[in-house]
Amino acid sequence: MKYPLLAFLATGPAHGYELKQSYEARFSPFRPAVNVGQVYTTLQRLERDGFVRRHGVVETGEAPARHLYEITEDGRGALEVWLRAPVAGVRLREDFFMKLVLARAAGLAAPAELLEGQRTAALQELHDLNELLLAPKLQDLTTQLLIEGAVLHLQADLRWMDLCEERMTQEEVP
Amino acid sequence: MTELMRTVALTKRYHANDEEVAALRGVDLAVERGEFVAIMGPSGCGKSTLLHLLGGLDIPTSGEIHFDGRRVDGLGEAAWAVLRRRQIGYMFQSFNLIANLSVADNIELPALMAGHSSREARRRRELLTRQLGIEAQAVMPPGRISGGQQQRVALARALINEPALLIADEPTGNLDSHSTRDVLGILRGANERGQTVVLVTHDPNVASRADRVLRMRDGLIVGESRLEGRTPSSDLLQALVTVED
Ligand SMILES: Nc1ncnc2c1ncn2[C@@H]1O[C@H](COP(=O)(O)OP(=O)(O)OP(=O)(O)O)[C@@H](O)[C@H]1O
Ligand SMILES: [Mg+2]
């Protein structure tokens, strides 16, 4: 939440409710709705760190008055650093890998059986994502690219499962 | 649903330089009418061999094949040729296009052989080449078009008689993601009009469009995933992105 808020403030001062709306407009299919309380808590933390400061209030005629926030030079610096830092991704389905290793080590289940269930789940997920790619409501560029990214990850997962099966069953070819 | 095709304990052994290869070791496969089945498995596990037998292009060593309610594994070449002209469209892994015919003639040939007028053959061919994005190649010989284009020509040829069963060996093997989508669209369209599809693919993305995905290994079917053809809710997307707070 912290960096998205800084990024929205980098384009000009805004109050908490506006920031909540910007966030939802950008990320709505991917992220759950945020509550405005969470936005204000984050703003307070950013203020304490010197990344934003108050910039007067907007008179809405309602109580409580809404504080406008603006980004500081330090805030811009922090945003810049965050934006340009490469991100380490999750490379594997770690939970599944753990199950696979344990099942094999403890002789609890044949890896092939676990792989079978995992493959079905991954194929179904691929199916669902491909359906979403075609959904008329989700044709904007960011959404399409995000789904395509997830599709490529799933393809890699499935290939990796093939590799696991091949290597783990080499000694027990029927 | 009713059954369109079934194999019972199908085996195929090849003999090559004194070596015997057991390419299929007892395959029991039942395909429902209107079903879309994808077959996956490592290279050499017997996928093409199985399709060849299903299409009558090779003779099983033992076992049975039933198609449309009758036993077909003992049929002679001529009877299989009739079946392939009328009811089974076959797309080869290696395309098998006729080098000295144009793309258009390659595609129209099975329609003419099945007794359609040349006007009807042309109408069907034009529709398919448009859907597959290979209209511009119609006058070319197959040797002068790209591998991906040849693949789509082979698919158009397999579909021109609107076969009850389409058998396709790696229909998207040489295609980029855009053309893969075009081909998948065609296959899904054919399937939605009631045609049964059995295809082999290495691409999980292609397999995920099927009703059922079979996995082969060492000449046997060793696994199966049934997929739900559901329309998912876009809530699914929330699980795609994790953000550090
Ligand atoms: N005509 C043939 N003569 C001898 N052996 C053959 C013949 N055709 C296939 N084989 C062998 O039978 C086995 C199965 O081959 P097949 O072509 O069915 O594999 P595949 O699963 O289609 O592989 P790929 O994914 O590489 O296309 C392989 O070991 C192959 O070498
Ligand atoms: Mg093959």
Side-chain angles (χ1 to χ4, degrees):
Chain A
M1 180 102 293
K2 170 175 162 187
Y3 291 105
L5 296 193
L6 282 180
F8 298 136
L9 289 172
T11 64
H15 57 70
Y17 192 73
E18 280 173 336
L19 291 170
K20 167 188 153 69
Q21 285 177 319
S22 301
Y23 186 91
E24 285 170 2
R26 283 281 167 238
F27 298 117
S28 69
F30 311 115
R31 307 290 304 147
V34 289
N35 71 44
V36 76
Q38 201 184 339
V39 173
Y40 281 112
T41 321
T42 309
L43 283 170
Q44 276 162 17
R45 243 182 279 144
L46 288 169
E47 190 177 19
R48 185 197 61 204
D49 295 343
F51 292 161
V52 304
R53 61 172 160 258
R54 295 189 195 205
H55 183 79
V57 289
V58 210
E59 290 305 337
T60 53
E62 299 163 33
R66 286 176 175 172
H67 290 285
L68 269 181
Y69 288 85
E70 70 175 353
I71 192 166
T72 63
E73 274 316 300
D74 281 357
R76 281 188 193 276
L79 177 62
E80 177 83 359
V81 168
W82 172 77
L83 206 58
R84 293 185 186 278
V87 174
V90 178
R91 300 282 175 244
L92 284 179
R93 312 229 139 185
E94 287 147 336
D95 318 358
F96 176 66
F97 190 59
M98 182 165 269
K99 290 184 188 181
L100 198 60
V101 169
L102 292 175
R104 183 172 145 85
L108 295 168
E113 274 170 48
L114 297 192
L115 284 162
E116 193 65 22
Q118 191 67 24
R119 276 203 191 96
T120 302
L123 283 167
Q124 183 70 55
E125 215 177 315
L126 260 185
H127 168 276
D128 292 355
L129 289 173
N130 277 306
E131 287 290 321
L132 288 181
L133 265 183
L134 302 173
K137 275 197 322 208
L138 302 175
Q139 292 304 310
D140 64 288
L141 182 65
T142 19
T143 309
Q144 291 275 312
L145 287 175
L146 222 114
I147 301 174
E148 296 272 15
V151 164
L152 288 167
H153 275 275
L154 275 165
Q155 282 176 282
D157 284 344
L158 279 155
R159 295 219 160 148
W160 174 72
M161 288 181 227
D162 289 344
L163 188 70
C164 289
E165 172 152 1
E166 202 184 307
R167 299 277 172 83
M168 285 182 165
T169 54
Q170 245 161 16
E171 58 266 39
E172 30 163 308
V173 169
Chain B
M1 276 206 276
T2 58
E3 182 181 283
L4 180 66
M5 180 160 243
R6 181 160 54 95
T7 72
V8 182
L10 203 60
T11 76
K12 178 67 185 178
R13 273 193 287 278
Y14 290 111
H15 301 272
N17 345 303
D18 292 344
E19 288 238 11
E20 205 184 57
V21 183
L24 295 180
R25 302 191 300 140
V27 169
D28 297 296
L29 165 68
V31 179
E32 302 285 325
R33 219 174 272 279
E35 204 178 11
F36 189 142
V37 177
I39 302 172
M40 302 188 80
S43 189
C45 71
K47 303 180 300 294
S48 293
T49 302
L50 176 59
L51 293 193
H52 287 159
L53 298 185
L54 295 181
L57 300 164
D58 207 343
I59 300 162
T61 305
S62 68
E64 300 171 13
I65 306 174
H66 301 255
F67 180 79
D68 203 13
R70 74 181 163 130
R71 190 152 169 195
V72 293
D73 50 86
L75 294 184
E77 256 173 63
W80 269 111
V82 172
L83 212 51
R84 277 197 304 276
R85 206 172 296 153
R86 302 258 163 79
Q87 285 178 282
I88 300 178
Y90 199 100
M91 179 185 169
F92 293 88
Q93 188 166 14
S94 47
F95 319 143
N96 289 17
L97 300 174
I98 302 169
N100 53 11
L101 291 183
S102 70
V103 159
D105 291 343
N106 262 282
I107 298 171
E108 290 177 24
L109 187 62
L112 298 172
M113 284 169 59
H116 291 293
S117 68
S118 57
R119 170 193 280 203
E120 174 62 10
R122 171 145 42 91
R123 189 189 66 79
R124 291 181 177 206
R125 184 260 300 170
E126 284 173 351
L127 182 68
L128 283 164
T129 52
R130 195 172 330 123
Q131 288 173 326
L132 287 162
I134 46 169
E135 283 166 293
Q137 282 72 32
V139 294
M140 311 271 268
R144 301 259 301 277
I145 63 177
S146 77
Q149 288 163 346
Q150 290 180 44
Q151 192 153 29
R152 281 173 279 169
V153 174
L155 178 61
R157 184 180 61 178
L159 281 171
I160 195 149
N161 286 335
E162 297 171 350
L165 174 64
L166 173 71
I167 299 175
D169 202 344
E170 287 282 358
T172 61
N174 287 294
L175 303 181
D176 59 19
S177 66
H178 187 78
S179 309
T180 294
R181 275 191 208 291
D182 287 348
V183 165
L184 275 176
I186 300 272
L187 292 175
R188 293 259 289 179
N191 186 238
E192 274 155 23
R193 286 191 298 275
Q195 289 171 268
T196 306
V197 178
V198 175
L199 62 76
V200 160
T201 182
H202 280 106
D203 181 352
N205 211 17
V206 171
S208 77
R209 309 312 286 162
D211 300 315
R212 192 151 59 104
V213 182
L214 302 175
R215 257 176 303 284
M216 288 185 67
R217 194 153 68 88
D218 300 319
L220 293 169
I221 294 177
V222 295
E224 166 180 303
S225 302
R226 275 182 191 278
L227 304 183
E228 283 176 53
R230 64 192 178 196
T231 310
S233 127
S234 58
D235 290 351
L236 177 69
L237 297 178
Q238 292 185 9
L240 297 187
V241 186
T242 48
V243 181
E244 271 182 69
D245 279 324

